[in-house]
Amino acid sequence: MKLTDKWFWWLWIVTEVIIVFIGFHELGFTKEWIRSMVYLGLPQPLMILLILFKKNHHISSLLNLAAILLYSIIAALLALFDNYSDKLGSGLWWFCFMTVLPYVQLAIILVYWSVEILVISFKRKNLK
């Protein structure tokens, strides 16, 4: 196992724990299962894609995971303090961090991966 693999899996586990914490924290304060499951479920396609992306792109998958970890920590802090204080807003910021940003990042990774696959296939076609 490479060192980047160990870092990747440790970051992946910590990020998943934070995402689960945000979902259950929201469930504890609002008692709404649907809202809680939205926060738990929306980042998961990105987390699964990063496992697949890691096969050929070790460093970039590690950097993408570090970005997810960063905005998950920010979202967790906003979620914690937003329930105790009305001064931080209506929760829209941490909603953005846990719903919008993962899908923007997912779209960027999918576009990059698609373009890379197209370039590789065109190079193979031109070599024949």
Side-chain angles (χ1 to χ4, degrees):
M1 182 182 290
K2 297 178 185 175
L3 182 62
T4 55
D5 289 345
K6 290 178 185 176
W7 277 105
F8 177 84
W9 289 112
W10 276 109
L11 282 176
W12 195 86
I13 290 168
V14 168
T15 305
E16 280 293 327
V17 166
I18 291 173
I19 290 170
V20 168
F21 166 76
I22 292 171
F24 283 112
H25 177 267
E26 184 62 23
L27 178 65
F29 273 96
T30 63
K31 307 286 191 255
E32 294 179 19
W33 277 99
I34 294 174
R35 190 170 168 183
S36 177
M37 291 300 121
V38 165
Y39 294 126
L40 283 172
L42 285 179
Q44 296 312 313
L46 178 60
M47 298 299 287
I48 293 168
L49 179 74
L50 283 178
I51 294 172
L52 301 173
F53 194 64
K54 183 181 83 69
K55 183 177 179 182
N56 294 327
H57 304 87
H58 297 291
I59 301 299
S60 60
S61 64
L62 189 64
L63 292 174
N64 275 298
L65 192 56
I68 297 168
L69 179 63
L70 178 69
Y71 64 71
S72 295
I73 290 171
I74 294 170
L77 291 174
L78 286 172
L80 274 174
F81 295 119
D82 192 44
N83 286 321
Y84 297 118
S85 171
D86 292 334
K87 296 177 184 172
L88 291 176
S90 63
L92 225 49
W93 285 108
W94 73 277
F95 175 79
C96 173
F97 277 110
M98 290 312 292
T99 57
V100 176
L101 287 179
Y103 278 95
V104 168
Q105 191 173 2
L106 179 68
I108 291 170
I109 291 172
L110 286 175
V111 166
Y112 170 78
W113 213 356
S114 301
V115 168
E116 182 185 44
I117 289 171
L118 286 174
V119 166
I120 289 170
S121 66
F122 283 136
K123 284 183 180 179
R124 285 183 185 163
K125 193 180 275 188
N126 287 339
L127 291 176
K128 291 181 180 181

